[in-house]
Amino acid sequence: MIEETIDEVFAAGDCWGSLSALEVDGPGRLSVAGGELAVAASTFKITIGLEFFCQAAEGELDPTERVVVSPAEASVGGQGLCITEDPVEISLRDVARLMLSISDNTATDVLIRRVGIETGQHAPRRARLHRLPPAGHDPA
């Protein structure tokens, strides 16, 4: 099975890892240590993006709303809005794009301030993504 192969790859690299994936339009499911706790790191940005897009879809915010990001507000983290020398005016949608495509830490902070850290933590549950269904379970 693919799960054993993935475990072998982790072991060959002398590391530990986890992976979970669900087929978007079918019953397929893959999980390697999927139930283990792990440090979120930049994957946390996905939940902030999810909350942003949920709020936009529900009319709670306008994704074309423009914000000004000053270099003084920049977070440490190599690329994106943190390397500008002048204030940047940008839409929230483009801020989300930078956060999700290049893992821009400053963009993440801008969106956290806009959508709220508390609501961002609840985004997976709100979108019913908070846990994998049991194997063979039809969520419909």
Side-chain angles (χ1 to χ4, degrees):
M1 284 178 103
I2 188 74
E3 290 86 354
E4 285 94 20
T5 302
I6 293 169
D7 276 332
E8 290 169 7
V9 170
F10 285 141
D14 196 26
C15 66
W16 176 89
S18 65
L19 175 109
S20 292
L22 294 174
E23 188 175 2
V24 173
D25 58 355
R29 173 184 165 175
L30 171 69
S31 182
V32 175
E36 299 294 321
L37 293 178
V39 175
S42 283
T43 61
F44 169 72
K45 293 171 181 173
I46 296 167
T47 62
I48 298 301
L50 177 61
E51 181 61 27
F52 167 76
F53 288 109
C54 284
Q55 287 186 20
E58 293 171 4
E60 296 173 24
L61 64 76
D62 178 0
T64 65
E65 176 186 325
R66 305 200 56 87
V67 294
V68 176
V69 182
S70 167
E73 301 174 76
S75 305
V76 176
Q79 57 196 358
L81 295 171
C82 73
I83 65 169
T84 65
E85 293 185 33
D86 302 304
V88 174
E89 183 176 323
I90 187 170
S91 71
L92 289 174
R93 177 178 39 218
D94 286 337
V95 169
R97 179 174 287 121
L98 290 172
M99 178 186 71
L100 294 170
S101 64
I102 63 171
S103 197
D104 185 329
N105 292 336
T106 301
T108 305
D109 290 343
V110 168
L111 285 184
I112 286 172
R113 285 191 295 272
R114 185 60 177 84
V115 303
I117 190 71
E118 295 81 15
T119 55
Q121 292 172 338
H122 298 294
R125 185 172 304 279
R126 178 175 169 170
R128 298 186 179 143
L129 299 173
H130 58 286
R131 60 189 307 210
L132 289 173
H137 178 269
D138 180 9

